[in-house]
Amino acid sequence: SNGTILSGGPYYIISRTLGVEIGGALGLLFYLGTTLGASMHVMGAVETLVHRKKHAYQNNASGNLQLLLDSCPNQVYSLIIMFVIARIVSVGSKHVTNAANFFLATVGLSILSIIVGTTLFAFGIYEGSLSDEDRAFNDNLHPNYRADPKTGVTPAFWGLVAIFYPATTGILAGTNRSAKLKTPNRSIPIGTISAIGVTTVLYLAQVWMIGSVVSNDVLIYNKLVLTTVAFPSRILAKMGMVTSCIGAALQCMAGGPPDR
């Protein structure tokens, strides 16, 4: 990025570095991946929102409303959220930036609550939604692939990598909006390398902390295990997950097509 960078983000850099032919092919794949990534992030937010224990519905207005909401397919909620995101992006990049700042603050509080809660759980000071039986040090030290309790499918290493991979695409958020940066030649290298360093440390720290103190059974059967140890409330962790997914979808929508 030592030259003048215009709108287009990674596609602009790739096409000017590798040529129009290769850049066009990679740009098409990049665009499709970013577009589909937005849909996947929204689905992740919806799954986090609807993930809860189901109880018997009361025979009143509140119970009937809860029954209606639970019977609604996740795809309907996803379409509503995607429409709202599209409206925010269509208004202008200023609103995207303002929303991103709010999402960043929420995710930061969520990560802090998970780290503090995991540390307190390890020392037996705080249990969250878990119990003493769920505290098992070094229970995940070795590979132990088992069938998913809901689907019956046994995951493989590369399948898990495919699930984790979208979490690494956020480092291109600044590059995707290169036309909006005052000094892209300076901001893109510093921002991208800094994002790689910070996210790598956070990912490794959370994986190591949870894997070191939580039993393997909990990790297998609880899809939102991070919320069970969040301090002082699991709501903070769920808010962080939802805003993280919606924020990622917002960045995908804002940075997918080249800016004009």
Side-chain angles (χ1 to χ4, degrees), residues 198-251:
V198 172
T199 54
T200 299
V201 171
L202 289 176
Y203 288 151
L204 292 178
Q206 291 191 64
V207 170
W208 177 79
M209 294 179 69
I210 292 293
S212 298
V213 300
V214 179
S215 67
N216 187 262
D217 288 335
V218 174
L219 297 182
I220 293 294
Y221 288 94
N222 194 330
K223 303 301 182 183
L224 297 180
V225 64
L226 293 179
T227 63
T228 61
V229 297
F231 177 85
S233 171
R234 64 186 302 161
I235 296 178
L236 273 177
K238 293 196 72 171
M239 287 181 57
M241 293 179 182
V242 172
T243 53
S244 175
C245 291
I246 295 179
L250 191 63
Q251 294 297 335

mmCIF file of all heavy atoms in Angstrom, residues 198-251:
data_model
loop_
_atom_site.group_PDB
_atom_site.id
_atom_site.type_symbol
_atom_site.label_atom_id
_atom_site.label_comp_id
_atom_site.label_asym_id
_atom_site.label_seq_id
_atom_site.Cartn_x
_atom_site.Cartn_y
_atom_site.Cartn_z
ATOM 1 N N VAL A 198 -3.928 -7.716 18.275
ATOM 2 C CA VAL A 198 -4.894 -7.659 19.383
ATOM 3 C C VAL A 198 -5.836 -8.850 19.352
ATOM 4 O O VAL A 198 -6.079 -9.509 20.382
ATOM 5 C CB VAL A 198 -5.688 -6.337 19.325
ATOM 6 C CG1 VAL A 198 -6.822 -6.356 20.345
ATOM 7 C CG2 VAL A 198 -4.770 -5.153 19.589
ATOM 8 N N THR A 199 -6.394 -9.158 18.176
ATOM 9 C CA THR A 199 -7.346 -10.272 18.101
ATOM 10 C C THR A 199 -6.665 -11.615 18.378
ATOM 11 O O THR A 199 -7.265 -12.495 19.009
ATOM 12 C CB THR A 199 -8.010 -10.309 16.719
ATOM 13 O OG1 THR A 199 -6.990 -10.334 15.682
ATOM 14 C CG2 THR A 199 -8.891 -9.102 16.512
ATOM 15 N N THR A 200 -5.429 -11.787 17.934
ATOM 16 C CA THR A 200 -4.720 -13.046 18.201
ATOM 17 C C THR A 200 -4.536 -13.251 19.698
ATOM 18 O O THR A 200 -4.777 -14.350 20.232
ATOM 19 C CB THR A 200 -3.350 -13.046 17.501
ATOM 20 O OG1 THR A 200 -3.535 -12.925 16.092
ATOM 21 C CG2 THR A 200 -2.601 -14.345 17.801
ATOM 22 N N VAL A 201 -4.131 -12.200 20.397
ATOM 23 C CA VAL A 201 -3.943 -12.300 21.851
ATOM 24 C C VAL A 201 -5.265 -12.611 22.547
ATOM 25 O O VAL A 201 -5.336 -13.484 23.432
ATOM 26 C CB VAL A 201 -3.327 -10.998 22.401
ATOM 27 C CG1 VAL A 201 -3.344 -11.005 23.934
ATOM 28 C CG2 VAL A 201 -1.909 -10.818 21.889
ATOM 29 N N LEU A 202 -6.334 -11.934 22.152
ATOM 30 C CA LEU A 202 -7.631 -12.153 22.792
ATOM 31 C C LEU A 202 -8.162 -13.557 22.515
ATOM 32 O O LEU A 202 -8.674 -14.229 23.424
ATOM 33 C CB LEU A 202 -8.634 -11.111 22.293
ATOM 34 C CG LEU A 202 -8.422 -9.680 22.780
ATOM 35 C CD1 LEU A 202 -9.422 -8.736 22.139
ATOM 36 C CD2 LEU A 202 -8.534 -9.610 24.295
ATOM 37 N N TYR A 203 -8.037 -14.029 21.280
ATOM 38 C CA TYR A 203 -8.513 -15.373 20.943
ATOM 39 C C TYR A 203 -7.753 -16.432 21.732
ATOM 40 O O TYR A 203 -8.345 -17.338 22.335
ATOM 41 C CB TYR A 203 -8.365 -15.637 19.438
ATOM 42 C CG TYR A 203 -9.344 -14.877 18.570
ATOM 43 C CD1 TYR A 203 -9.012 -14.521 17.260
ATOM 44 C CD2 TYR A 203 -10.587 -14.510 19.050
ATOM 45 C CE1 TYR A 203 -9.899 -13.824 16.466
ATOM 46 C CE2 TYR A 203 -11.477 -13.817 18.266
ATOM 47 C CZ TYR A 203 -11.134 -13.482 16.972
ATOM 48 O OH TYR A 203 -12.026 -12.789 16.181
ATOM 49 N N LEU A 204 -6.439 -16.328 21.727
ATOM 50 C CA LEU A 204 -5.630 -17.326 22.432
ATOM 51 C C LEU A 204 -5.888 -17.286 23.937
ATOM 52 O O LEU A 204 -5.974 -18.338 24.591
ATOM 53 C CB LEU A 204 -4.148 -17.091 22.147
ATOM 54 C CG LEU A 204 -3.677 -17.361 20.718
ATOM 55 C CD1 LEU A 204 -2.193 -17.028 20.572
ATOM 56 C CD2 LEU A 204 -3.926 -18.819 20.324
ATOM 57 N N ALA A 205 -6.031 -16.088 24.486
ATOM 58 C CA ALA A 205 -6.257 -15.966 25.926
ATOM 59 C C ALA A 205 -7.587 -16.582 26.338
ATOM 60 O O ALA A 205 -7.662 -17.340 27.326
ATOM 61 C CB ALA A 205 -6.208 -14.484 26.332
ATOM 62 N N GLN A 206 -8.644 -16.295 25.582
ATOM 63 C CA GLN A 206 -9.960 -16.833 25.949
ATOM 64 C C GLN A 206 -10.021 -18.339 25.755
ATOM 65 O O GLN A 206 -10.589 -19.058 26.591
ATOM 66 C CB GLN A 206 -11.041 -16.139 25.121
ATOM 67 C CG GLN A 206 -11.241 -14.683 25.477
ATOM 68 C CD GLN A 206 -12.482 -14.093 24.839
ATOM 69 O OE1 GLN A 206 -13.604 -14.488 25.115
ATOM 70 N NE2 GLN A 206 -12.276 -13.135 23.944
ATOM 71 N N VAL A 207 -9.460 -18.823 24.666
ATOM 72 C CA VAL A 207 -9.461 -20.270 24.434
ATOM 73 C C VAL A 207 -8.671 -20.986 25.529
ATOM 74 O O VAL A 207 -9.104 -22.024 26.060
ATOM 75 C CB VAL A 207 -8.878 -20.589 23.040
ATOM 76 C CG1 VAL A 207 -8.642 -22.089 22.894
ATOM 77 C CG2 VAL A 207 -9.819 -20.097 21.949
ATOM 78 N N TRP A 208 -7.512 -20.442 25.879
ATOM 79 C CA TRP A 208 -6.682 -21.068 26.910
ATOM 80 C C TRP A 208 -7.369 -21.034 28.272
ATOM 81 O O TRP A 208 -7.366 -22.030 29.005
ATOM 82 C CB TRP A 208 -5.327 -20.362 26.989
ATOM 83 C CG TRP A 208 -4.448 -20.895 28.082
ATOM 84 C CD1 TRP A 208 -3.708 -22.034 28.067
ATOM 85 C CD2 TRP A 208 -4.243 -20.296 29.370
ATOM 86 N NE1 TRP A 208 -3.044 -22.187 29.261
ATOM 87 C CE2 TRP A 208 -3.357 -21.144 30.081
ATOM 88 C CE3 TRP A 208 -4.719 -19.143 29.982
ATOM 89 C CZ2 TRP A 208 -2.946 -20.854 31.377
ATOM 90 C CZ3 TRP A 208 -4.314 -18.848 31.262
ATOM 91 C CH2 TRP A 208 -3.428 -19.709 31.948
ATOM 92 N N MET A 209 -7.972 -19.917 28.618
ATOM 93 C CA MET A 209 -8.610 -19.794 29.929
ATOM 94 C C MET A 209 -9.814 -20.714 30.056
ATOM 95 O O MET A 209 -9.942 -21.455 31.036
ATOM 96 C CB MET A 209 -9.028 -18.339 30.173
ATOM 97 C CG MET A 209 -7.865 -17.373 30.302
ATOM 98 S SD MET A 209 -8.379 -15.660 30.572
ATOM 99 C CE MET A 209 -9.055 -15.783 32.226
ATOM 100 N N ILE A 210 -10.701 -20.697 29.068
ATOM 101 C CA ILE A 210 -11.893 -21.556 29.127
ATOM 102 C C ILE A 210 -11.505 -23.024 29.063
ATOM 103 O O ILE A 210 -12.008 -23.865 29.818
ATOM 104 C CB ILE A 210 -12.859 -21.207 27.981
ATOM 105 C CG1 ILE A 210 -13.461 -19.818 28.192
ATOM 106 C CG2 ILE A 210 -13.970 -22.242 27.867
ATOM 107 C CD1 ILE A 210 -14.381 -19.712 29.386
ATOM 108 N N GLY A 211 -10.596 -23.364 28.147
ATOM 109 C CA GLY A 211 -10.191 -24.757 28.005
ATOM 110 C C GLY A 211 -9.447 -25.307 29.192
ATOM 111 O O GLY A 211 -9.414 -26.514 29.412
ATOM 112 N N SER A 212 -8.850 -24.428 29.993
ATOM 113 C CA SER A 212 -8.061 -24.885 31.137
ATOM 114 C C SER A 212 -8.896 -25.171 32.372
ATOM 115 O O SER A 212 -8.489 -25.958 33.230
ATOM 116 C CB SER A 212 -6.990 -23.840 31.487
ATOM 117 O OG SER A 212 -6.087 -23.673 30.416
ATOM 118 N N VAL A 213 -10.062 -24.546 32.493
ATOM 119 C CA VAL A 213 -10.815 -24.670 33.743
ATOM 120 C C VAL A 213 -12.199 -25.283 33.581
ATOM 121 O O VAL A 213 -12.773 -25.752 34.566
ATOM 122 C CB VAL A 213 -10.950 -23.288 34.428
ATOM 123 C CG1 VAL A 213 -9.580 -22.709 34.737
ATOM 124 C CG2 VAL A 213 -11.746 -22.314 33.566
ATOM 125 N N VAL A 214 -12.751 -25.290 32.374
ATOM 126 C CA VAL A 214 -14.105 -25.814 32.161
ATOM 127 C C VAL A 214 -14.011 -27.233 31.621
ATOM 128 O O VAL A 214 -13.168 -27.536 30.769
ATOM 129 C CB VAL A 214 -14.893 -24.913 31.190
ATOM 130 C CG1 VAL A 214 -16.287 -25.478 30.941
ATOM 131 C CG2 VAL A 214 -14.995 -23.501 31.747
ATOM 132 N N SER A 215 -14.888 -28.111 32.103
ATOM 133 C CA SER A 215 -14.846 -29.522 31.702
ATOM 134 C C SER A 215 -15.200 -29.686 30.229
ATOM 135 O O SER A 215 -15.886 -28.850 29.632
ATOM 136 C CB SER A 215 -15.815 -30.337 32.553
ATOM 137 O OG SER A 215 -17.155 -29.979 32.269
ATOM 138 N N ASN A 216 -14.764 -30.788 29.669
ATOM 139 C CA ASN A 216 -15.017 -31.069 28.261
ATOM 140 C C ASN A 216 -16.494 -31.277 27.980
ATOM 141 O O ASN A 216 -16.993 -30.899 26.917
ATOM 142 C CB ASN A 216 -14.216 -32.310 27.834
ATOM 143 C CG ASN A 216 -14.288 -32.559 26.351
ATOM 144 O OD1 ASN A 216 -15.070 -33.367 25.874
ATOM 145 N ND2 ASN A 216 -13.463 -31.846 25.590
ATOM 146 N N ASP A 217 -17.230 -31.858 28.916
ATOM 147 C CA ASP A 217 -18.661 -32.088 28.722
ATOM 148 C C ASP A 217 -19.414 -30.768 28.567
ATOM 149 O O ASP A 217 -20.334 -30.660 27.749
ATOM 150 C CB ASP A 217 -19.235 -32.880 29.893
ATOM 151 C CG ASP A 217 -18.777 -34.332 29.886
ATOM 152 O OD1 ASP A 217 -18.443 -34.831 28.791
ATOM 153 O OD2 ASP A 217 -18.752 -34.954 30.957
ATOM 154 N N VAL A 218 -19.033 -29.775 29.352
ATOM 155 C CA VAL A 218 -19.688 -28.472 29.255
ATOM 156 C C VAL A 218 -19.435 -27.850 27.890
ATOM 157 O O VAL A 218 -20.336 -27.287 27.267
ATOM 158 C CB VAL A 218 -19.201 -27.532 30.377
ATOM 159 C CG1 VAL A 218 -19.766 -26.130 30.181
ATOM 160 C CG2 VAL A 218 -19.614 -28.065 31.735
ATOM 161 N N LEU A 219 -18.212 -27.961 27.396
ATOM 162 C CA LEU A 219 -17.879 -27.394 26.089
ATOM 163 C C LEU A 219 -18.638 -28.091 24.970
ATOM 164 O O LEU A 219 -18.973 -27.466 23.955
ATOM 165 C CB LEU A 219 -16.373 -27.497 25.837
ATOM 166 C CG LEU A 219 -15.457 -26.728 26.794
ATOM 167 C CD1 LEU A 219 -14.000 -26.903 26.387
ATOM 168 C CD2 LEU A 219 -15.815 -25.260 26.834
ATOM 169 N N ILE A 220 -18.915 -29.388 25.139
ATOM 170 C CA ILE A 220 -19.619 -30.143 24.104
ATOM 171 C C ILE A 220 -21.105 -29.806 24.087
ATOM 172 O O ILE A 220 -21.701 -29.601 23.019
ATOM 173 C CB ILE A 220 -19.427 -31.655 24.316
ATOM 174 C CG1 ILE A 220 -17.961 -32.057 24.083
ATOM 175 C CG2 ILE A 220 -20.346 -32.452 23.378
ATOM 176 C CD1 ILE A 220 -17.484 -31.881 22.671
ATOM 177 N N TYR A 221 -21.722 -29.715 25.256
ATOM 178 C CA TYR A 221 -23.170 -29.594 25.331
ATOM 179 C C TYR A 221 -23.659 -28.155 25.445
ATOM 180 O O TYR A 221 -24.841 -27.899 25.233
ATOM 181 C CB TYR A 221 -23.706 -30.401 26.527
ATOM 182 C CG TYR A 221 -23.633 -31.891 26.313
ATOM 183 C CD1 TYR A 221 -22.552 -32.626 26.770
ATOM 184 C CD2 TYR A 221 -24.642 -32.562 25.629
ATOM 185 C CE1 TYR A 221 -22.468 -34.002 26.562
ATOM 186 C CE2 TYR A 221 -24.572 -33.930 25.417
ATOM 187 C CZ TYR A 221 -23.490 -34.639 25.885
ATOM 188 O OH TYR A 221 -23.411 -36.002 25.669
ATOM 189 N N ASN A 222 -22.795 -27.220 25.809
ATOM 190 C CA ASN A 222 -23.215 -25.825 25.952
ATOM 191 C C ASN A 222 -22.590 -24.993 24.840
ATOM 192 O O ASN A 222 -21.392 -24.725 24.845
ATOM 193 C CB ASN A 222 -22.794 -25.283 27.328
ATOM 194 C CG ASN A 222 -23.487 -23.977 27.662
ATOM 195 O OD1 ASN A 222 -23.820 -23.185 26.785
ATOM 196 N ND2 ASN A 222 -23.730 -23.752 28.948
ATOM 197 N N LYS A 223 -23.414 -24.566 23.896
ATOM 198 C CA LYS A 223 -22.909 -23.824 22.746
ATOM 199 C C LYS A 223 -22.494 -22.396 23.102
ATOM 200 O O LYS A 223 -21.684 -21.785 22.406
ATOM 201 C CB LYS A 223 -23.976 -23.771 21.642
ATOM 202 C CG LYS A 223 -24.457 -25.126 21.176
ATOM 203 C CD LYS A 223 -23.323 -25.972 20.622
ATOM 204 C CE LYS A 223 -23.835 -27.304 20.107
ATOM 205 N NZ LYS A 223 -22.734 -28.178 19.637
ATOM 206 N N LEU A 224 -23.049 -21.852 24.180
ATOM 207 C CA LEU A 224 -22.701 -20.502 24.612
ATOM 208 C C LEU A 224 -22.024 -20.561 25.975
ATOM 209 O O LEU A 224 -22.451 -19.913 26.938
ATOM 210 C CB LEU A 224 -23.960 -19.624 24.667
ATOM 211 C CG LEU A 224 -24.684 -19.386 23.344
ATOM 212 C CD1 LEU A 224 -25.904 -18.494 23.551
ATOM 213 C CD2 LEU A 224 -23.756 -18.771 22.306
ATOM 214 N N VAL A 225 -20.962 -21.343 26.036
ATOM 215 C CA VAL A 225 -20.297 -21.567 27.322
ATOM 216 C C VAL A 225 -19.707 -20.284 27.879
ATOM 217 O O VAL A 225 -19.610 -20.115 29.105
ATOM 218 C CB VAL A 225 -19.209 -22.654 27.166
ATOM 219 C CG1 VAL A 225 -18.111 -22.190 26.220
ATOM 220 C CG2 VAL A 225 -18.617 -23.044 28.509
ATOM 221 N N LEU A 226 -19.330 -19.352 27.023
ATOM 222 C CA LEU A 226 -18.749 -18.105 27.514
ATOM 223 C C LEU A 226 -19.739 -17.311 28.358
ATOM 224 O O LEU A 226 -19.335 -16.580 29.276
ATOM 225 C CB LEU A 226 -18.257 -17.249 26.349
ATOM 226 C CG LEU A 226 -17.073 -17.800 25.549
ATOM 227 C CD1 LEU A 226 -16.720 -16.866 24.406
ATOM 228 C CD2 LEU A 226 -15.860 -18.016 26.438
ATOM 229 N N THR A 227 -21.030 -17.442 28.066
ATOM 230 C CA THR A 227 -22.027 -16.706 28.835
ATOM 231 C C THR A 227 -22.214 -17.286 30.224
ATOM 232 O O THR A 227 -22.698 -16.597 31.126
ATOM 233 C CB THR A 227 -23.379 -16.707 28.113
ATOM 234 O OG1 THR A 227 -23.875 -18.058 28.009
ATOM 235 C CG2 THR A 227 -23.236 -16.141 26.708
ATOM 236 N N THR A 228 -21.844 -18.535 30.425
ATOM 237 C CA THR A 228 -22.070 -19.179 31.717
ATOM 238 C C THR A 228 -21.094 -18.708 32.787
ATOM 239 O O THR A 228 -21.366 -18.861 33.980
ATOM 240 C CB THR A 228 -21.963 -20.714 31.578
ATOM 241 O OG1 THR A 228 -20.639 -21.057 31.132
ATOM 242 C CG2 THR A 228 -22.967 -21.232 30.575
ATOM 243 N N VAL A 229 -19.959 -18.158 32.384
ATOM 244 C CA VAL A 229 -18.959 -17.711 33.354
ATOM 245 C C VAL A 229 -18.812 -16.200 33.380
ATOM 246 O O VAL A 229 -18.006 -15.671 34.152
ATOM 247 C CB VAL A 229 -17.581 -18.347 33.069
ATOM 248 C CG1 VAL A 229 -17.633 -19.853 33.223
ATOM 249 C CG2 VAL A 229 -17.102 -17.966 31.667
ATOM 250 N N ALA A 230 -19.560 -15.500 32.533
ATOM 251 C CA ALA A 230 -19.435 -14.041 32.467
ATOM 252 C C ALA A 230 -19.800 -13.416 33.811
ATOM 253 O O ALA A 230 -20.765 -13.816 34.460
ATOM 254 C CB ALA A 230 -20.329 -13.485 31.368
ATOM 255 N N PHE A 231 -19.009 -12.425 34.220
ATOM 256 C CA PHE A 231 -19.234 -11.745 35.498
ATOM 257 C C PHE A 231 -19.537 -10.272 35.241
ATOM 258 O O PHE A 231 -18.857 -9.629 34.431
ATOM 259 C CB PHE A 231 -17.975 -11.868 36.377
ATOM 260 C CG PHE A 231 -18.071 -11.145 37.687
ATOM 261 C CD1 PHE A 231 -18.657 -11.755 38.782
ATOM 262 C CD2 PHE A 231 -17.577 -9.856 37.817
ATOM 263 C CE1 PHE A 231 -18.747 -11.093 39.985
ATOM 264 C CE2 PHE A 231 -17.662 -9.181 39.021
ATOM 265 C CZ PHE A 231 -18.257 -9.798 40.104
ATOM 266 N N PRO A 232 -20.554 -9.684 35.866
ATOM 267 C CA PRO A 232 -21.420 -10.271 36.900
ATOM 268 C C PRO A 232 -22.659 -10.948 36.362
ATOM 269 O O PRO A 232 -23.403 -11.555 37.128
ATOM 270 C CB PRO A 232 -21.802 -9.041 37.724
ATOM 271 C CG PRO A 232 -21.851 -7.932 36.716
ATOM 272 C CD PRO A 232 -20.765 -8.240 35.723
ATOM 273 N N SER A 233 -22.919 -10.840 35.057
ATOM 274 C CA SER A 233 -24.126 -11.422 34.491
ATOM 275 C C SER A 233 -23.842 -11.942 33.096
ATOM 276 O O SER A 233 -23.004 -11.391 32.368
ATOM 277 C CB SER A 233 -25.253 -10.384 34.442
ATOM 278 O OG SER A 233 -26.365 -10.866 33.724
ATOM 279 N N ARG A 234 -24.546 -13.009 32.718
ATOM 280 C CA ARG A 234 -24.392 -13.564 31.381
ATOM 281 C C ARG A 234 -24.934 -12.636 30.307
ATOM 282 O O ARG A 234 -24.629 -12.795 29.117
ATOM 283 C CB ARG A 234 -25.089 -14.920 31.306
ATOM 284 C CG ARG A 234 -26.601 -14.874 31.490
ATOM 285 C CD ARG A 234 -27.198 -16.270 31.544
ATOM 286 N NE ARG A 234 -26.882 -17.016 30.353
ATOM 287 C CZ ARG A 234 -26.948 -18.338 30.262
ATOM 288 N NH1 ARG A 234 -27.277 -19.043 31.326
ATOM 289 N NH2 ARG A 234 -26.671 -18.947 29.147
ATOM 290 N N ILE A 235 -25.766 -11.676 30.717
ATOM 291 C CA ILE A 235 -26.333 -10.743 29.745
ATOM 292 C C ILE A 235 -25.233 -9.937 29.061
ATOM 293 O O ILE A 235 -25.308 -9.642 27.862
ATOM 294 C CB ILE A 235 -27.344 -9.805 30.436
ATOM 295 C CG1 ILE A 235 -28.523 -10.609 30.978
ATOM 296 C CG2 ILE A 235 -27.831 -8.733 29.475
ATOM 297 C CD1 ILE A 235 -29.552 -9.768 31.716
ATOM 298 N N LEU A 236 -24.187 -9.582 29.803
ATOM 299 C CA LEU A 236 -23.081 -8.834 29.210
ATOM 300 C C LEU A 236 -22.426 -9.616 28.081
ATOM 301 O O LEU A 236 -22.127 -9.063 27.016
ATOM 302 C CB LEU A 236 -22.046 -8.504 30.292
ATOM 303 C CG LEU A 236 -22.257 -7.228 31.107
ATOM 304 C CD1 LEU A 236 -21.180 -7.109 32.170
ATOM 305 C CD2 LEU A 236 -22.277 -6.007 30.204
ATOM 306 N N ALA A 237 -22.186 -10.912 28.313
ATOM 307 C CA ALA A 237 -21.554 -11.742 27.289
ATOM 308 C C ALA A 237 -22.454 -11.892 26.070
ATOM 309 O O ALA A 237 -21.987 -11.824 24.926
ATOM 310 C CB ALA A 237 -21.199 -13.108 27.863
ATOM 311 N N LYS A 238 -23.751 -12.087 26.288
ATOM 312 C CA LYS A 238 -24.668 -12.236 25.165
ATOM 313 C C LYS A 238 -24.770 -10.941 24.368
ATOM 314 O O LYS A 238 -24.844 -10.967 23.137
ATOM 315 C CB LYS A 238 -26.046 -12.656 25.669
ATOM 316 C CG LYS A 238 -26.098 -14.053 26.266
ATOM 317 C CD LYS A 238 -27.502 -14.576 26.391
ATOM 318 C CE LYS A 238 -28.098 -14.926 25.055
ATOM 319 N NZ LYS A 238 -29.407 -15.634 25.177
ATOM 320 N N MET A 239 -24.774 -9.815 25.072
ATOM 321 C CA MET A 239 -24.787 -8.526 24.363
ATOM 322 C C MET A 239 -23.540 -8.369 23.506
ATOM 323 O O MET A 239 -23.607 -7.881 22.367
ATOM 324 C CB MET A 239 -24.879 -7.383 25.375
ATOM 325 C CG MET A 239 -26.226 -7.205 26.028
ATOM 326 S SD MET A 239 -26.227 -5.821 27.190
ATOM 327 C CE MET A 239 -25.712 -4.469 26.138
ATOM 328 N N GLY A 240 -22.391 -8.797 24.052
ATOM 329 C CA GLY A 240 -21.162 -8.716 23.275
ATOM 330 C C GLY A 240 -21.192 -9.593 22.044
ATOM 331 O O GLY A 240 -20.728 -9.194 20.967
ATOM 332 N N MET A 241 -21.730 -10.801 22.173
ATOM 333 C CA MET A 241 -21.818 -11.711 21.028
ATOM 334 C C MET A 241 -22.738 -11.150 19.949
ATOM 335 O O MET A 241 -22.413 -11.177 18.751
ATOM 336 C CB MET A 241 -22.322 -13.077 21.488
ATOM 337 C CG MET A 241 -21.363 -13.824 22.383
ATOM 338 S SD MET A 241 -22.044 -15.414 22.905
ATOM 339 C CE MET A 241 -20.704 -15.987 23.969
ATOM 340 N N VAL A 242 -23.887 -10.638 20.376
ATOM 341 C CA VAL A 242 -24.860 -10.120 19.407
ATOM 342 C C VAL A 242 -24.298 -8.888 18.694
ATOM 343 O O VAL A 242 -24.348 -8.779 17.461
ATOM 344 C CB VAL A 242 -26.189 -9.782 20.106
ATOM 345 C CG1 VAL A 242 -27.135 -9.062 19.144
ATOM 346 C CG2 VAL A 242 -26.844 -11.043 20.635
ATOM 347 N N THR A 243 -23.752 -7.940 19.461
ATOM 348 C CA THR A 243 -23.219 -6.729 18.843
ATOM 349 C C THR A 243 -21.994 -7.017 17.987
ATOM 350 O O THR A 243 -21.767 -6.346 16.973
ATOM 351 C CB THR A 243 -22.857 -5.690 19.917
ATOM 352 O OG1 THR A 243 -21.982 -6.290 20.890
ATOM 353 C CG2 THR A 243 -24.097 -5.182 20.619
ATOM 354 N N SER A 244 -21.210 -8.028 18.388
ATOM 355 C CA SER A 244 -20.061 -8.406 17.571
ATOM 356 C C SER A 244 -20.506 -8.921 16.206
ATOM 357 O O SER A 244 -19.944 -8.545 15.167
ATOM 358 C CB SER A 244 -19.235 -9.468 18.298
ATOM 359 O OG SER A 244 -18.177 -9.925 17.482
ATOM 360 N N CYS A 245 -21.529 -9.774 16.209
ATOM 361 C CA CYS A 245 -22.029 -10.333 14.947
ATOM 362 C C CYS A 245 -22.671 -9.247 14.079
ATOM 363 O O CYS A 245 -22.414 -9.163 12.869
ATOM 364 C CB CYS A 245 -23.040 -11.441 15.225
ATOM 365 S SG CYS A 245 -22.338 -12.939 15.955
ATOM 366 N N ILE A 246 -23.503 -8.402 14.697
ATOM 367 C CA ILE A 246 -24.165 -7.349 13.932
ATOM 368 C C ILE A 246 -23.145 -6.327 13.434
ATOM 369 O O ILE A 246 -23.232 -5.837 12.303
ATOM 370 C CB ILE A 246 -25.246 -6.666 14.790
ATOM 371 C CG1 ILE A 246 -26.359 -7.665 15.122
ATOM 372 C CG2 ILE A 246 -25.826 -5.453 14.061
ATOM 373 C CD1 ILE A 246 -27.467 -7.093 15.975
ATOM 374 N N GLY A 247 -22.152 -6.007 14.276
ATOM 375 C CA GLY A 247 -21.108 -5.085 13.843
ATOM 376 C C GLY A 247 -20.314 -5.636 12.674
ATOM 377 O O GLY A 247 -19.971 -4.891 11.737
ATOM 378 N N ALA A 248 -20.012 -6.936 12.706
ATOM 379 C CA ALA A 248 -19.290 -7.555 11.592
ATOM 380 C C ALA A 248 -20.131 -7.537 10.324
ATOM 381 O O ALA A 248 -19.620 -7.271 9.225
ATOM 382 C CB ALA A 248 -18.905 -8.987 11.961
ATOM 383 N N ALA A 249 -21.435 -7.817 10.471
ATOM 384 C CA ALA A 249 -22.320 -7.757 9.307
ATOM 385 C C ALA A 249 -22.410 -6.343 8.757
ATOM 386 O O ALA A 249 -22.449 -6.126 7.539
ATOM 387 C CB ALA A 249 -23.713 -8.266 9.687
ATOM 388 N N LEU A 250 -22.417 -5.368 9.659
ATOM 389 C CA LEU A 250 -22.467 -3.964 9.237
ATOM 390 C C LEU A 250 -21.225 -3.590 8.438
ATOM 391 O O LEU A 250 -21.312 -2.911 7.402
ATOM 392 C CB LEU A 250 -22.601 -3.078 10.470
ATOM 393 C CG LEU A 250 -22.928 -1.600 10.252
ATOM 394 C CD1 LEU A 250 -24.296 -1.454 9.603
ATOM 395 C CD2 LEU A 250 -22.893 -0.859 11.577
ATOM 396 N N GLN A 251 -20.069 -4.040 8.895
ATOM 397 C CA GLN A 251 -18.823 -3.754 8.178
ATOM 398 C C GLN A 251 -18.782 -4.471 6.826
ATOM 399 O O GLN A 251 -18.248 -3.942 5.849
ATOM 400 C CB GLN A 251 -17.622 -4.150 9.030
ATOM 401 C CG GLN A 251 -17.441 -3.334 10.290
ATOM 402 C CD GLN A 251 -17.173 -1.873 10.013
ATOM 403 O OE1 GLN A 251 -16.677 -1.494 8.961
ATOM 404 N NE2 GLN A 251 -17.512 -1.028 10.970
#
